[in-house]
Amino acid sequence: MRKPCCDKRDTNKGAWSKQEDEKLIDYIRNHGEGSWRSLPKAAGGLLRCAKSCRLRWINYLQPNIKRGNFAEDEEDLIVKLHALLGNRWSLIAGRLPGRTDNEIKNYWNSHLRRKLINMGIDPNNHHVSQSLSLHRPQISGSATLSGGPVNHERKKWQQYLISMTDNDRVSDTGSCLPSKKGAASCLEDNAYVLPDLNLDLTMSIPSPSTTFAEWKQESAELEAPSELGNATNQTLLLFR
DNA sequence: AACACGGGCAACCGCACCTAC
DNA sequence: TGTAGGTGCGGTTGCCCGTGT
């Protein structure tokens, strides 16, 4: 049985106070990140769990964190990345400088998910819902999307839908849907699903004739340093 | 004005992965 | 090779605040 990461009797829970934040910031400024387990004691006796310190630093105290509303292009990117990666928030966050996985996850759950649902898109697999899929243009007739300012939004999402072929989306079987697999194995999965990702995240359709064996061979070849120059591998590197 | 309700967000929890021994 | 500690990640919870009734 694993020991708990800290003795819960001796730790505070809940919102962080200004003093606690300052202690943590001071310590990390002087000693750098890492050694989270020993940090609370070393940082002037912070009564916080190591994991809590890490989370607080990564999500709120780091100097390069971007706070506030998400820009339109950030939204687009999140949706596209989510279609590719599923709930791999840390990977998605890696593509959005200054944004944290927690922030993106919250934004997805509170805003983007609902937005997609209103558009008639299943946020889990990015498929157009049954009732709309037969006539994609109907999306513009979604009940929540009438009125002027929405037109732009509507157009944007229509383009998104059109640009997303079925091959682009995370498979229904959930090859990269929530599981406790590591990022690396997830990327392997995606490399199979999306062998031809482009750097700008607009996608080309993978050859339907590619078998798994062929893909494995291609992947092995891509591992070779001499292949680093080609576009496909650049794309794969994007997700490393 | 008081209450109920829902949304947004910070933080917690537990599991999985990584690495050193 | 197996094990334990440290860390990272994603799901979930709970509090706070705004809005509607």
Side-chain angles (χ1 to χ4, degrees):
Chain A
M1 186 62 186
R2 168 188 289 284
K3 273 197 288 183
C5 78
C6 45
D7 189 342
K8 294 197 164 87
R9 287 169 307 176
D10 299 330
T11 55
N12 288 341
K13 283 170 73 171
W16 280 64
S17 69
K18 200 146 180 69
Q19 287 86 352
E20 287 176 314
D21 280 347
E22 280 165 7
K23 275 184 183 177
L24 184 57
I25 291 168
D26 276 353
Y27 181 85
I28 292 175
R29 269 198 196 130
N30 292 327
H31 301 90
E33 287 182 53
S35 309
W36 296 108
R37 184 166 283 246
S38 58
L39 187 149
K41 220 172 207 175
L46 254 181
L47 296 178
R48 287 284 179 174
C49 171
K51 290 172 78 169
S52 181
C53 292
R54 178 182 159 270
L55 206 66
R56 182 67 182 168
W57 172 254
I58 288 174
N59 286 333
Y60 303 98
L61 301 178
Q62 274 190 121
N64 58 342
I65 299 244
K66 204 194 283 181
R67 313 295 301 174
N69 294 341
F70 281 74
E72 203 172 315
D73 56 336
E74 286 180 306
E75 264 188 25
D76 286 350
L77 193 51
I78 291 169
V79 173
K80 284 182 177 175
L81 286 168
H82 186 271
L84 298 173
L85 301 169
N87 295 354
R88 303 279 160 183
W89 304 116
S90 59
L91 287 176
I92 294 172
R95 298 292 119 210
L96 286 140
R99 300 292 187 185
T100 68
D101 53 357
N102 204 39
E103 194 179 11
I104 292 170
K105 177 174 60 181
N106 283 334
Y107 190 71
W108 172 266
N109 286 328
S110 56
H111 294 91
L112 295 178
R113 244 180 78 85
R114 201 167 306 131
K115 210 169 193 174
L116 288 181
I117 289 168
N118 285 340
M119 301 284 173
I121 303 166
D122 183 339
N124 295 318
N125 56 21
H126 295 252
H127 285 166
V128 181
S129 67
Q130 285 285 322
S131 59
L132 293 168
S133 59
L134 293 174
H135 309 285
R136 280 192 177 182
Q138 278 187 7
I139 290 157
S140 61
S142 172
T144 56
L145 289 174
S146 53
V150 181
N151 280 336
H152 166 68
E153 188 83 343
R154 186 190 301 160
K155 220 172 192 174
K156 187 180 89 184
W157 291 95
Q158 275 182 311
Q159 281 172 354
Y160 156 68
L161 281 172
I162 290 163
S163 72
M164 296 289 288
T165 69
D166 285 346
N167 282 321
D168 297 330
R169 301 182 184 108
V170 175
S171 69
D172 285 342
T173 53
S175 65
C176 207
L177 291 177
S179 76
K180 292 292 182 180
K181 284 162 69 176
S185 56
C186 170
L187 292 175
E188 285 165 16
D189 291 347
N190 276 295
Y192 175 55
V193 175
L194 301 160
D196 290 339
L197 275 174
N198 296 325
L199 278 171
D200 63 357
L201 296 171
T202 56
M203 268 97 32
S204 58
I205 303 168
S207 163
S209 60
T210 304
T211 64
F212 182 71
E214 285 166 345
W215 165 75
K216 281 205 85 165
Q217 188 174 348
E218 282 170 19
S219 300
E221 284 164 5
L222 288 172
E223 289 301 316
S226 62
E227 295 289 332
L228 279 175
N230 74 43
T232 307
N233 209 32
Q234 282 179 7
T235 304
L236 291 173
L237 283 172
L238 181 70
F239 290 97
R240 289 248 157 87

mmCIF file of all heavy atoms in Angstrom, chain A residues 13-14 48 51-52 56 60 67 106 110 180, chain B residues 7-17:
data_model
loop_
_atom_site.group_PDB
_atom_site.id
_atom_site.type_symbol
_atom_site.label_atom_id
_atom_site.label_comp_id
_atom_site.label_asym_id
_atom_site.label_seq_id
_atom_site.Cartn_x
_atom_site.Cartn_y
_atom_site.Cartn_z
ATOM 1 N N LYS A 13 -5.880 22.773 3.906
ATOM 2 C CA LYS A 13 -6.579 22.501 2.647
ATOM 3 C C LYS A 13 -7.377 23.740 2.259
ATOM 4 O O LYS A 13 -7.507 24.668 3.035
ATOM 5 C CB LYS A 13 -7.512 21.294 2.807
ATOM 6 C CG LYS A 13 -6.758 19.973 2.791
ATOM 7 C CD LYS A 13 -7.629 18.825 3.183
ATOM 8 C CE LYS A 13 -8.620 18.478 2.099
ATOM 9 N NZ LYS A 13 -9.339 17.220 2.400
ATOM 10 N N GLY A 14 -7.854 23.732 1.043
ATOM 11 C CA GLY A 14 -8.655 24.867 0.603
ATOM 12 C C GLY A 14 -7.823 25.978 0.001
ATOM 13 O O GLY A 14 -6.679 25.767 -0.411
ATOM 14 N N ARG A 48 1.331 22.637 3.752
ATOM 15 C CA ARG A 48 0.640 22.211 2.544
ATOM 16 C C ARG A 48 1.238 20.915 2.032
ATOM 17 O O ARG A 48 2.429 20.662 2.187
ATOM 18 C CB ARG A 48 0.788 23.276 1.450
ATOM 19 C CG ARG A 48 -0.047 24.511 1.697
ATOM 20 C CD ARG A 48 -1.496 24.250 1.377
ATOM 21 N NE ARG A 48 -2.329 25.434 1.633
ATOM 22 C CZ ARG A 48 -3.631 25.490 1.321
ATOM 23 N NH1 ARG A 48 -4.237 24.477 0.751
ATOM 24 N NH2 ARG A 48 -4.327 26.565 1.598
ATOM 25 N N LYS A 51 1.892 17.954 -3.296
ATOM 26 C CA LYS A 51 1.134 18.038 -4.549
ATOM 27 C C LYS A 51 0.372 19.344 -4.645
ATOM 28 O O LYS A 51 0.224 19.917 -5.717
ATOM 29 C CB LYS A 51 0.159 16.855 -4.639
ATOM 30 C CG LYS A 51 0.845 15.547 -4.842
ATOM 31 C CD LYS A 51 -0.114 14.392 -4.722
ATOM 32 C CE LYS A 51 -0.929 14.242 -5.968
ATOM 33 N NZ LYS A 51 -1.672 12.967 -5.972
ATOM 34 N N SER A 52 -0.093 19.792 -3.508
ATOM 35 C CA SER A 52 -0.822 21.050 -3.484
ATOM 36 C C SER A 52 0.109 22.206 -3.863
ATOM 37 O O SER A 52 -0.288 23.121 -4.603
ATOM 38 C CB SER A 52 -1.407 21.265 -2.082
ATOM 39 O OG SER A 52 -2.130 22.449 -2.025
ATOM 40 N N ARG A 56 -0.342 24.589 -7.105
ATOM 41 C CA ARG A 56 -0.484 26.029 -6.920
ATOM 42 C C ARG A 56 0.551 26.777 -7.766
ATOM 43 O O ARG A 56 0.231 27.783 -8.398
ATOM 44 C CB ARG A 56 -0.297 26.367 -5.441
ATOM 45 C CG ARG A 56 -0.479 27.837 -5.109
ATOM 46 C CD ARG A 56 -1.903 28.282 -5.298
ATOM 47 N NE ARG A 56 -2.087 29.699 -5.030
ATOM 48 C CZ ARG A 56 -3.175 30.391 -5.326
ATOM 49 N NH1 ARG A 56 -4.203 29.805 -5.888
ATOM 50 N NH2 ARG A 56 -3.266 31.677 -5.054
ATOM 51 N N TYR A 60 -0.966 28.807 -10.941
ATOM 52 C CA TYR A 60 -1.272 30.200 -10.604
ATOM 53 C C TYR A 60 -0.084 31.084 -10.306
ATOM 54 O O TYR A 60 -0.160 32.295 -10.498
ATOM 55 C CB TYR A 60 -2.254 30.246 -9.427
ATOM 56 C CG TYR A 60 -3.484 29.492 -9.769
ATOM 57 C CD1 TYR A 60 -3.662 28.188 -9.340
ATOM 58 C CD2 TYR A 60 -4.423 30.031 -10.633
ATOM 59 C CE1 TYR A 60 -4.756 27.455 -9.724
ATOM 60 C CE2 TYR A 60 -5.515 29.301 -11.033
ATOM 61 C CZ TYR A 60 -5.682 28.014 -10.579
ATOM 62 O OH TYR A 60 -6.760 27.287 -10.988
ATOM 63 N N ARG A 67 -3.329 35.074 -17.779
ATOM 64 C CA ARG A 67 -4.648 35.014 -17.153
ATOM 65 C C ARG A 67 -5.686 35.683 -18.055
ATOM 66 O O ARG A 67 -5.358 36.405 -18.962
ATOM 67 C CB ARG A 67 -4.656 35.720 -15.782
ATOM 68 C CG ARG A 67 -3.514 35.364 -14.872
ATOM 69 C CD ARG A 67 -3.533 33.923 -14.458
ATOM 70 N NE ARG A 67 -4.765 33.548 -13.755
ATOM 71 C CZ ARG A 67 -5.025 32.303 -13.408
ATOM 72 N NH1 ARG A 67 -4.205 31.338 -13.701
ATOM 73 N NH2 ARG A 67 -6.135 32.019 -12.779
ATOM 74 N N ASN A 106 -10.841 23.436 -17.457
ATOM 75 C CA ASN A 106 -11.998 24.157 -16.939
ATOM 76 C C ASN A 106 -12.715 24.913 -18.047
ATOM 77 O O ASN A 106 -13.946 24.930 -18.094
ATOM 78 C CB ASN A 106 -11.570 25.141 -15.851
ATOM 79 C CG ASN A 106 -11.284 24.451 -14.537
ATOM 80 O OD1 ASN A 106 -11.832 23.389 -14.265
ATOM 81 N ND2 ASN A 106 -10.418 25.028 -13.738
ATOM 82 N N SER A 110 -16.542 24.265 -19.106
ATOM 83 C CA SER A 110 -17.549 25.277 -18.801
ATOM 84 C C SER A 110 -17.998 26.057 -20.035
ATOM 85 O O SER A 110 -19.114 26.558 -20.066
ATOM 86 C CB SER A 110 -17.037 26.242 -17.742
ATOM 87 O OG SER A 110 -15.835 26.823 -18.151
ATOM 88 N N LYS A 180 -5.391 5.999 -18.398
ATOM 89 C CA LYS A 180 -4.228 6.444 -17.650
ATOM 90 C C LYS A 180 -2.948 6.099 -18.377
ATOM 91 O O LYS A 180 -1.903 5.908 -17.779
ATOM 92 C CB LYS A 180 -4.254 5.831 -16.246
ATOM 93 C CG LYS A 180 -5.374 6.361 -15.392
ATOM 94 C CD LYS A 180 -5.143 7.833 -15.050
ATOM 95 C CE LYS A 180 -6.249 8.356 -14.148
ATOM 96 N NZ LYS A 180 -6.074 9.755 -13.803
ATOM 97 P P DG B 7 -25.708 25.713 -15.862
ATOM 98 O OP1 DG B 7 -26.114 25.696 -17.283
ATOM 99 O OP2 DG B 7 -25.372 24.443 -15.175
ATOM 100 O "O5'" DG B 7 -24.473 26.709 -15.722
ATOM 101 C "C5'" DG B 7 -24.708 28.111 -15.882
ATOM 102 C "C4'" DG B 7 -23.427 28.877 -15.637
ATOM 103 O "O4'" DG B 7 -23.190 28.981 -14.215
ATOM 104 C "C3'" DG B 7 -22.174 28.242 -16.237
ATOM 105 O "O3'" DG B 7 -21.367 29.277 -16.769
ATOM 106 C "C2'" DG B 7 -21.523 27.528 -15.064
ATOM 107 C "C1'" DG B 7 -21.942 28.410 -13.877
ATOM 108 N N9 DG B 7 -22.125 27.703 -12.612
ATOM 109 C C8 DG B 7 -22.819 26.541 -12.404
ATOM 110 N N7 DG B 7 -22.834 26.160 -11.154
ATOM 111 C C5 DG B 7 -22.115 27.136 -10.504
ATOM 112 C C6 DG B 7 -21.791 27.272 -9.121
ATOM 113 O O6 DG B 7 -22.089 26.524 -8.190
ATOM 114 N N1 DG B 7 -21.030 28.422 -8.876
ATOM 115 C C2 DG B 7 -20.645 29.317 -9.835
ATOM 116 N N2 DG B 7 -19.918 30.353 -9.415
ATOM 117 N N3 DG B 7 -20.935 29.205 -11.124
ATOM 118 C C4 DG B 7 -21.669 28.097 -11.379
ATOM 119 P P DG B 8 -20.023 28.965 -17.480
ATOM 120 O OP1 DG B 8 -19.865 29.946 -18.570
ATOM 121 O OP2 DG B 8 -19.946 27.521 -17.755
ATOM 122 O "O5'" DG B 8 -18.954 29.296 -16.348
ATOM 123 C "C5'" DG B 8 -18.977 30.588 -15.749
ATOM 124 C "C4'" DG B 8 -17.811 30.730 -14.788
ATOM 125 O "O4'" DG B 8 -18.119 30.033 -13.561
ATOM 126 C "C3'" DG B 8 -16.492 30.153 -15.302
ATOM 127 O "O3'" DG B 8 -15.466 31.088 -15.008
ATOM 128 C "C2'" DG B 8 -16.326 28.845 -14.527
ATOM 129 C "C1'" DG B 8 -17.070 29.146 -13.233
ATOM 130 N N9 DG B 8 -17.694 28.005 -12.579
ATOM 131 C C8 DG B 8 -18.424 27.007 -13.187
ATOM 132 N N7 DG B 8 -18.885 26.118 -12.345
ATOM 133 C C5 DG B 8 -18.443 26.559 -11.112
ATOM 134 C C6 DG B 8 -18.637 26.002 -9.821
ATOM 135 O O6 DG B 8 -19.256 24.980 -9.521
ATOM 136 N N1 DG B 8 -18.014 26.766 -8.839
ATOM 137 C C2 DG B 8 -17.305 27.925 -9.068
ATOM 138 N N2 DG B 8 -16.775 28.520 -8.005
ATOM 139 N N3 DG B 8 -17.112 28.448 -10.271
ATOM 140 C C4 DG B 8 -17.708 27.721 -11.242
ATOM 141 P P DC B 9 -14.012 30.856 -15.506
ATOM 142 O OP1 DC B 9 -13.431 32.176 -15.829
ATOM 143 O OP2 DC B 9 -14.004 29.764 -16.507
ATOM 144 O "O5'" DC B 9 -13.308 30.325 -14.179
ATOM 145 C "C5'" DC B 9 -13.474 31.066 -12.984
ATOM 146 C "C4'" DC B 9 -12.901 30.277 -11.819
ATOM 147 O "O4'" DC B 9 -13.792 29.199 -11.476
ATOM 148 C "C3'" DC B 9 -11.534 29.636 -12.087
ATOM 149 O "O3'" DC B 9 -10.694 29.970 -11.010
ATOM 150 C "C2'" DC B 9 -11.831 28.142 -12.120
ATOM 151 C "C1'" DC B 9 -13.022 28.059 -11.182
ATOM 152 N N1 DC B 9 -13.902 26.880 -11.373
ATOM 153 C C2 DC B 9 -14.359 26.181 -10.240
ATOM 154 O O2 DC B 9 -14.000 26.571 -9.125
ATOM 155 N N3 DC B 9 -15.157 25.101 -10.410
ATOM 156 C C4 DC B 9 -15.511 24.722 -11.635
ATOM 157 N N4 DC B 9 -16.302 23.660 -11.747
ATOM 158 C C5 DC B 9 -15.063 25.431 -12.796
ATOM 159 C C6 DC B 9 -14.266 26.495 -12.620
ATOM 160 P P DA B 10 -9.154 30.011 -11.195
ATOM 161 O OP1 DA B 10 -8.737 31.427 -11.301
ATOM 162 O OP2 DA B 10 -8.753 29.042 -12.228
ATOM 163 O "O5'" DA B 10 -8.688 29.464 -9.775
ATOM 164 C "C5'" DA B 10 -9.293 29.988 -8.608
ATOM 165 C "C4'" DA B 10 -9.265 28.950 -7.511
ATOM 166 O "O4'" DA B 10 -10.178 27.885 -7.818
ATOM 167 C "C3'" DA B 10 -7.898 28.295 -7.280
ATOM 168 O "O3'" DA B 10 -7.663 28.268 -5.887
ATOM 169 C "C2'" DA B 10 -8.047 26.903 -7.884
ATOM 170 C "C1'" DA B 10 -9.541 26.630 -7.713
ATOM 171 N N9 DA B 10 -10.143 25.766 -8.730
ATOM 172 C C8 DA B 10 -9.991 25.854 -10.086
ATOM 173 N N7 DA B 10 -10.682 24.949 -10.752
ATOM 174 C C5 DA B 10 -11.328 24.230 -9.768
ATOM 175 C C6 DA B 10 -12.214 23.137 -9.823
ATOM 176 N N6 DA B 10 -12.612 22.567 -10.958
ATOM 177 N N1 DA B 10 -12.673 22.646 -8.653
ATOM 178 C C2 DA B 10 -12.282 23.226 -7.513
ATOM 179 N N3 DA B 10 -11.455 24.258 -7.331
ATOM 180 C C4 DA B 10 -11.010 24.716 -8.516
ATOM 181 P P DA B 11 -6.285 27.755 -5.340
ATOM 182 O OP1 DA B 11 -6.019 28.509 -4.102
ATOM 183 O OP2 DA B 11 -5.295 27.724 -6.437
ATOM 184 O "O5'" DA B 11 -6.631 26.261 -4.950
ATOM 185 C "C5'" DA B 11 -7.708 26.024 -4.048
ATOM 186 C "C4'" DA B 11 -7.992 24.544 -3.976
ATOM 187 O "O4'" DA B 11 -8.577 24.112 -5.215
ATOM 188 C "C3'" DA B 11 -6.772 23.660 -3.738
ATOM 189 O "O3'" DA B 11 -6.947 22.989 -2.503
ATOM 190 C "C2'" DA B 11 -6.745 22.702 -4.929
ATOM 191 C "C1'" DA B 11 -8.171 22.781 -5.457
ATOM 192 N N9 DA B 11 -8.336 22.539 -6.897
ATOM 193 C C8 DA B 11 -7.709 23.184 -7.922
ATOM 194 N N7 DA B 11 -8.066 22.745 -9.112
ATOM 195 C C5 DA B 11 -8.983 21.759 -8.843
ATOM 196 C C6 DA B 11 -9.735 20.922 -9.674
ATOM 197 N N6 DA B 11 -9.663 20.934 -11.006
ATOM 198 N N1 DA B 11 -10.581 20.036 -9.086
ATOM 199 C C2 DA B 11 -10.643 20.018 -7.747
ATOM 200 N N3 DA B 11 -9.989 20.756 -6.854
ATOM 201 C C4 DA B 11 -9.171 21.622 -7.473
ATOM 202 P P DC B 12 -5.908 21.951 -1.953
ATOM 203 O OP1 DC B 12 -5.808 22.168 -0.504
ATOM 204 O OP2 DC B 12 -4.699 21.943 -2.813
ATOM 205 O "O5'" DC B 12 -6.697 20.586 -2.199
ATOM 206 C "C5'" DC B 12 -8.062 20.492 -1.796
ATOM 207 C "C4'" DC B 12 -8.624 19.134 -2.183
ATOM 208 O "O4'" DC B 12 -8.828 19.068 -3.605
ATOM 209 C "C3'" DC B 12 -7.724 17.964 -1.819
ATOM 210 O "O3'" DC B 12 -8.514 16.962 -1.203
ATOM 211 C "C2'" DC B 12 -7.146 17.500 -3.150
ATOM 212 C "C1'" DC B 12 -8.231 17.904 -4.138
ATOM 213 N N1 DC B 12 -7.767 18.244 -5.508
ATOM 214 C C2 DC B 12 -8.338 17.594 -6.613
ATOM 215 O O2 DC B 12 -9.202 16.745 -6.429
ATOM 216 N N3 DC B 12 -7.902 17.925 -7.862
ATOM 217 C C4 DC B 12 -6.964 18.860 -8.016
ATOM 218 N N4 DC B 12 -6.571 19.145 -9.240
ATOM 219 C C5 DC B 12 -6.374 19.519 -6.894
ATOM 220 C C6 DC B 12 -6.798 19.188 -5.675
ATOM 221 P P DC B 13 -7.864 15.668 -0.561
ATOM 222 O OP1 DC B 13 -8.679 15.307 0.623
ATOM 223 O OP2 DC B 13 -6.410 15.870 -0.449
ATOM 224 O "O5'" DC B 13 -8.110 14.576 -1.693
ATOM 225 C "C5'" DC B 13 -9.423 14.395 -2.203
ATOM 226 C "C4'" DC B 13 -9.415 13.267 -3.224
ATOM 227 O "O4'" DC B 13 -8.953 13.771 -4.502
ATOM 228 C "C3'" DC B 13 -8.496 12.102 -2.839
ATOM 229 O "O3'" DC B 13 -9.205 10.894 -2.995
ATOM 230 C "C2'" DC B 13 -7.321 12.212 -3.820
ATOM 231 C "C1'" DC B 13 -7.934 12.941 -5.013
ATOM 232 N N1 DC B 13 -7.020 13.828 -5.761
ATOM 233 C C2 DC B 13 -6.990 13.778 -7.163
ATOM 234 O O2 DC B 13 -7.732 12.977 -7.747
ATOM 235 N N3 DC B 13 -6.168 14.611 -7.839
ATOM 236 C C4 DC B 13 -5.389 15.462 -7.177
ATOM 237 N N4 DC B 13 -4.586 16.263 -7.890
ATOM 238 C C5 DC B 13 -5.397 15.527 -5.750
ATOM 239 C C6 DC B 13 -6.216 14.700 -5.091
ATOM 240 P P DG B 14 -8.598 9.549 -2.367
ATOM 241 O OP1 DG B 14 -9.708 8.849 -1.678
ATOM 242 O OP2 DG B 14 -7.332 9.841 -1.658
ATOM 243 O "O5'" DG B 14 -8.235 8.729 -3.679
ATOM 244 C "C5'" DG B 14 -9.187 8.649 -4.725
ATOM 245 C "C4'" DG B 14 -8.524 8.166 -5.994
ATOM 246 O "O4'" DG B 14 -7.750 9.246 -6.574
ATOM 247 C "C3'" DG B 14 -7.548 7.005 -5.797
ATOM 248 O "O3'" DG B 14 -7.745 6.092 -6.858
ATOM 249 C "C2'" DG B 14 -6.173 7.664 -5.877
ATOM 250 C "C1'" DG B 14 -6.456 8.781 -6.883
ATOM 251 N N9 DG B 14 -5.543 9.916 -6.822
ATOM 252 C C8 DG B 14 -5.016 10.502 -5.698
ATOM 253 N N7 DG B 14 -4.228 11.519 -5.967
ATOM 254 C C5 DG B 14 -4.248 11.601 -7.351
ATOM 255 C C6 DG B 14 -3.591 12.504 -8.226
ATOM 256 O O6 DG B 14 -2.835 13.440 -7.926
ATOM 257 N N1 DG B 14 -3.887 12.238 -9.553
ATOM 258 C C2 DG B 14 -4.709 11.229 -9.995
ATOM 259 N N2 DG B 14 -4.884 11.129 -11.312
ATOM 260 N N3 DG B 14 -5.330 10.382 -9.186
ATOM 261 C C4 DG B 14 -5.056 10.625 -7.887
ATOM 262 P P DC B 15 -7.162 4.627 -6.784
ATOM 263 O OP1 DC B 15 -8.310 3.710 -6.707
ATOM 264 O OP2 DC B 15 -6.058 4.548 -5.789
ATOM 265 O "O5'" DC B 15 -6.521 4.499 -8.238
ATOM 266 C "C5'" DC B 15 -7.249 4.998 -9.351
ATOM 267 C "C4'" DC B 15 -6.281 5.351 -10.456
ATOM 268 O "O4'" DC B 15 -5.565 6.560 -10.122
ATOM 269 C "C3'" DC B 15 -5.226 4.277 -10.730
ATOM 270 O "O3'" DC B 15 -5.240 3.972 -12.121
ATOM 271 C "C2'" DC B 15 -3.907 4.921 -10.295
ATOM 272 C "C1'" DC B 15 -4.205 6.407 -10.463
ATOM 273 N N1 DC B 15 -3.432 7.316 -9.582
ATOM 274 C C2 DC B 15 -2.699 8.362 -10.151
ATOM 275 O O2 DC B 15 -2.707 8.510 -11.373
ATOM 276 N N3 DC B 15 -1.991 9.191 -9.333
ATOM 277 C C4 DC B 15 -2.005 9.002 -8.023
ATOM 278 N N4 DC B 15 -1.306 9.834 -7.263
ATOM 279 C C5 DC B 15 -2.754 7.935 -7.420
ATOM 280 C C6 DC B 15 -3.441 7.125 -8.234
ATOM 281 P P DA B 16 -4.371 2.773 -12.649
ATOM 282 O OP1 DA B 16 -5.205 2.086 -13.656
ATOM 283 O OP2 DA B 16 -3.763 2.023 -11.529
ATOM 284 O "O5'" DA B 16 -3.202 3.534 -13.411
ATOM 285 C "C5'" DA B 16 -3.554 4.530 -14.353
ATOM 286 C "C4'" DA B 16 -2.297 5.171 -14.920
ATOM 287 O "O4'" DA B 16 -1.745 6.075 -13.939
ATOM 288 C "C3'" DA B 16 -1.184 4.178 -15.269
ATOM 289 O "O3'" DA B 16 -0.629 4.559 -16.517
ATOM 290 C "C2'" DA B 16 -0.187 4.320 -14.129
ATOM 291 C "C1'" DA B 16 -0.386 5.769 -13.710
ATOM 292 N N9 DA B 16 -0.115 6.056 -12.306
ATOM 293 C C8 DA B 16 -0.552 5.348 -11.224
ATOM 294 N N7 DA B 16 -0.164 5.839 -10.075
ATOM 295 C C5 DA B 16 0.570 6.953 -10.414
ATOM 296 C C6 DA B 16 1.260 7.915 -9.658
ATOM 297 N N6 DA B 16 1.311 7.899 -8.314
ATOM 298 N N1 DA B 16 1.896 8.904 -10.319
ATOM 299 C C2 DA B 16 1.846 8.916 -11.657
ATOM 300 N N3 DA B 16 1.239 8.069 -12.481
ATOM 301 C C4 DA B 16 0.609 7.101 -11.793
ATOM 302 P P DC B 17 0.453 3.648 -17.190
ATOM 303 O OP1 DC B 17 0.067 3.526 -18.607
ATOM 304 O OP2 DC B 17 0.711 2.442 -16.373
ATOM 305 O "O5'" DC B 17 1.742 4.594 -17.106
ATOM 306 C "C5'" DC B 17 1.613 5.946 -17.520
ATOM 307 C "C4'" DC B 17 2.848 6.718 -17.093
ATOM 308 O "O4'" DC B 17 2.840 6.894 -15.669
ATOM 309 C "C3'" DC B 17 4.167 6.013 -17.445
ATOM 310 O "O3'" DC B 17 5.002 6.952 -18.110
ATOM 311 C "C2'" DC B 17 4.737 5.595 -16.099
ATOM 312 C "C1'" DC B 17 4.128 6.631 -15.149
ATOM 313 N N1 DC B 17 3.956 6.190 -13.739
ATOM 314 C C2 DC B 17 4.492 6.957 -12.710
ATOM 315 O O2 DC B 17 5.121 7.987 -12.995
ATOM 316 N N3 DC B 17 4.331 6.553 -11.428
ATOM 317 C C4 DC B 17 3.643 5.440 -11.168
ATOM 318 N N4 DC B 17 3.505 5.088 -9.885
ATOM 319 C C5 DC B 17 3.076 4.649 -12.205
ATOM 320 C C6 DC B 17 3.251 5.054 -13.465
#
